């Protein structure tokens, strides 16, 4: 058997793996409708941890305080900021009766560790149901808390929301960030729906305080400076206690990174954190990424070699059809449908960027929390 024949067989297997993944995503999450059954307003504590975020707090905190929700407090955690973050918090506290401030001083043992600051915020919260967001995020509507809290139940102690990024015209970086955000959401929502929850985003998630302390908080990974969101979910979430919330009213919107350098550094932190996931999750996520990379490498190689070109093009077309179907429905559900026609190009860009990030992380460790 020739080398090209072996490459062709491997390529068929790789595309088969991709089709299995996308079909699983399609039927577990993509084609399911988002429910909007609101329940009684349970008491909530919204926790916002901020480090040097004075400007973002001024801009976004009013959207949190104006939520159409009867019973909630906002716990503002100042994580040893060197700007006017604390002063901004105090100004909002003076104007509102449901704000609580936790001023975290520098601690040599936990320097630069957001998990330490978050833990103090969680301890200071008055309610059992906690909702988390970041200072650079704003709710997409005044029904954000109502939508997120509606997913809690006697069994469901974790709610995974969607943290979108604002759209910028004529920006390749912005399109790439939004594309990667949708692909990541497609995976963690799909895995949660099939009973294998593995992560959430700190921009928009919720869980019970009781669950946090029953799992010893962040103690299992306190030494890892990143992962206050995904590592805790990876550790505490299971098929019975996790729900997702994907109604448009439940989204949060963040400002994306403005330079490739800043975005790459952010992605390096995320990738380094993923190495601490449970083994089953690392295998599934690694197989998906590897199959993506090999699809492009083998597909391009076989087209250049001209081997069984009609079959190769047909297989490539089938894979793109299923991918675009899956991505298209997801992008529409997550209110970003204008990326659909650019998906193949953005995927190629993202896959090659991720490969460079993996290599960079092997050479040096990325920096963490500001």
């Amino acid at each position: 058997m020739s080398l090209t024949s072996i490459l062709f067989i491997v390529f068929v297997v790789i595309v088969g793996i991709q089709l299995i993944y996308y079909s699983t995503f399609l039927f577990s999450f993509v084609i399911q409708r988002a429910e909007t059954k609101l329940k009684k307003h349970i008491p909530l504590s919204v926790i916002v941890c901020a480090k040097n975020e004075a400007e973002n707090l001024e801009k976004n905190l009013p959207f949190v305080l104006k939520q159409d929700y009867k019973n909630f407090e906002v716990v503002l955690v100042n994580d040893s900021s060197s700007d006017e973050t604390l002063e901004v918090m105090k100004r909002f506290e003076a104007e509102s009766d449901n704000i609580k401030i936790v001023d975290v001083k520098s601690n040599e043992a936990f320097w630069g560790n957001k998990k330490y600051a978050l833990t103090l915020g969680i301890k200071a919260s008055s309610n059992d149901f906690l909702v988390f967001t970041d200072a650079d995020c704003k709710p997409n509507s005044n029904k954000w808390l109502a939508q997120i809290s509606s997913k809690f139940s006697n069994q469901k102690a974790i709610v995974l929301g969607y943290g979108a990024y604002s759209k910028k015209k004529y920006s390749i970086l912005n399109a790439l960030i939004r594309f990667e955000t949708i692909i990541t959401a497609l995976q963690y929502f799909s895995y949660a729906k099939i009973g294998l929850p593995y992560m959430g985003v700190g921009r928009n998630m919720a869980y019970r305080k009781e669950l946090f302390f029953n799992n010893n908080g962040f103690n299992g990974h306190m030494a890892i400076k990143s992962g206050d969101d995904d590592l805790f979910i990876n550790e505490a979430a299971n098929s019975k206690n996790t729900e997702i919330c994907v109604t448009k009213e439940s989204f949060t919107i963040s400002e994306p990174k403005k330079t490739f350098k800043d975005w790459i550094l952010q992605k390096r932190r995320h990738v380094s954190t993923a190495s601490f996931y449970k083994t089953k999750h690392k295998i599934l996520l690694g197989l998906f990424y590897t199959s993506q990379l090999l699809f492009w490498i083998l597909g391009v190689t076989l087209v250049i070699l001209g081997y069984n070109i009609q079959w190769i093009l047909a297989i490539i077309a089938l894979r793109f059809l299923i991918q675009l179907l899956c991505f298209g429905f997801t992008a529409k559900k997550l209110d970003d449908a204008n990326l659909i026609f650019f998906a193949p190009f953005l995927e190629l860009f993202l896959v090659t960027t991720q490969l460079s990030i993996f290599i960079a992380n092997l050479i040096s460790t990325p920096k963490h929390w500001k």
Side-chain angles (χ1 to χ4, degrees):
M1 185 179 293
S2 66
L3 177 60
T4 50
S5 297
I6 295 174
L7 290 178
F8 176 74
I9 293 172
V10 174
F11 180 66
V12 171
V13 172
I14 290 298
V15 172
I17 293 172
Q18 283 274 288
L19 294 180
I20 290 172
Y21 269 93
Y22 280 114
S23 297
T24 302
F25 298 156
L26 187 67
F27 290 105
S28 64
F29 167 69
V30 175
I31 62 176
Q32 295 191 17
R33 296 182 62 182
E35 297 181 0
T36 56
K37 297 178 180 178
L38 300 184
K39 300 177 182 178
K40 182 179 179 181
H41 288 193
I42 57 177
L44 297 176
S45 292
V46 181
I47 298 182
V48 182
C49 188
K51 188 177 184 70
N52 300 327
E53 295 279 13
E55 183 177 346
N56 281 325
L57 284 172
E58 289 271 20
K59 182 171 59 175
N60 297 319
L61 191 54
F63 292 94
V64 175
L65 295 172
K66 292 177 183 177
Q67 286 295 296
D68 183 13
Y69 200 86
K70 294 179 180 178
N71 191 352
F72 74 101
E73 67 172 1
V74 178
V75 180
L76 300 176
V77 184
N78 174 42
D79 187 10
S80 307
S81 299
S82 57
D83 67 353
E84 296 182 353
T85 292
L86 183 59
E87 287 71 21
V88 171
M89 289 179 175
K90 288 180 177 179
R91 285 203 297 270
F92 276 106
E93 182 186 34
E95 299 170 0
S96 178
D97 59 1
N98 64 337
I99 286 181
K100 181 181 294 184
I101 295 176
V102 177
D103 186 21
V104 181
K105 303 299 182 183
S106 295
N107 185 312
E108 186 175 348
F110 299 105
W111 183 86
N113 196 327
K114 183 180 179 182
K115 295 173 188 174
Y116 172 68
L118 271 176
T119 299
L120 296 183
I122 291 171
K123 287 182 176 180
S125 63
S126 303
N127 302 310
D128 183 44
F129 295 90
L130 313 176
V131 181
F132 297 85
T133 191
D134 290 335
D136 63 348
C137 301
K138 71 175 183 179
N140 198 37
S141 77
N142 67 351
K143 300 291 185 182
W144 169 56
L145 290 181
Q147 293 285 341
I148 293 292
S149 67
S150 72
K151 297 299 181 178
F152 280 117
S153 69
N154 290 335
Q155 271 196 321
K156 304 299 182 181
I158 296 173
V159 181
L160 307 179
Y162 179 59
Y165 284 105
S166 60
K167 303 170 186 177
K168 308 293 182 184
K169 291 183 177 180
Y170 315 118
S171 170
I172 294 176
L173 175 60
N174 181 258
L176 185 62
I177 290 173
R178 286 155 47 212
F179 175 80
E180 191 266 344
T181 302
I182 291 173
I183 290 295
T184 301
L186 169 61
Q187 291 184 80
Y188 73 76
F189 284 142
S190 296
Y191 278 58
K193 292 300 289 184
I194 64 174
L196 290 170
Y198 73 93
M199 70 161 281
V201 292
R203 303 188 301 277
N204 194 8
M205 63 187 297
Y207 50 78
R208 298 189 68 164
K209 185 195 293 189
E210 179 184 37
L211 177 77
F212 180 79
F213 287 114
N214 285 345
N215 282 271
N216 296 315
F218 302 125
N219 285 353
H221 44 87
M222 183 65 83
I224 305 165
K225 290 186 178 181
S226 59
D228 55 275
D229 45 11
D230 53 348
L231 287 185
F232 176 74
I233 296 301
N234 194 260
E235 186 177 71
N238 58 51
S239 60
K240 296 181 179 179
N241 71 359
T242 305
E243 186 56 273
I244 67 174
C245 187
V246 291
T247 57
K248 292 180 183 179
E249 291 178 317
S250 72
F251 298 170
T252 58
I253 311 294
S254 306
E255 284 298 313
K257 299 297 183 182
K258 294 180 174 59
T259 67
F260 274 95
K261 180 180 178 181
D262 289 341
W263 179 68
I264 291 293
L265 180 58
Q266 182 186 55
K267 289 298 101 184
R268 287 188 63 191
R269 291 196 296 265
H270 293 169
V271 170
S272 67
T273 302
S275 65
F276 297 97
Y277 287 176
K278 292 176 182 176
T279 301
K280 61 183 178 182
H281 297 138
K282 288 193 289 186
I283 291 173
L284 289 170
L285 295 169
L287 182 60
F288 178 70
Y289 170 73
T290 303
S291 65
Q292 276 187 312
L293 179 63
L294 290 178
F295 166 78
W296 283 97
I297 294 175
L298 295 176
V300 171
T301 300
L302 289 168
V303 168
I304 292 174
L305 293 175
Y307 181 83
N308 278 348
I309 192 67
Q310 291 181 330
W311 277 104
I312 292 296
L313 292 177
I315 293 171
I316 290 174
L318 175 62
R319 186 269 187 182
F320 276 130
L321 177 64
I322 299 300
Q323 183 211 31
L324 288 175
L325 182 67
C326 191
F327 178 80
F329 277 112
T330 304
K332 185 177 180 180
K333 181 178 287 190
L334 300 180
D335 200 26
D336 214 347
N338 60 346
L339 288 177
I340 295 172
F341 298 108
F342 303 100
F345 308 101
L346 292 171
E347 181 195 30
L348 177 58
F349 199 169
L350 181 62
V351 167
T352 53
T353 301
Q354 288 172 326
L355 180 61
S356 67
I357 288 172
F358 287 134
I359 295 172
N361 278 3
L362 291 174
I363 298 172
S364 62
T365 303
K367 296 178 181 179
H368 296 288
W369 180 238
K370 303 172 186 178

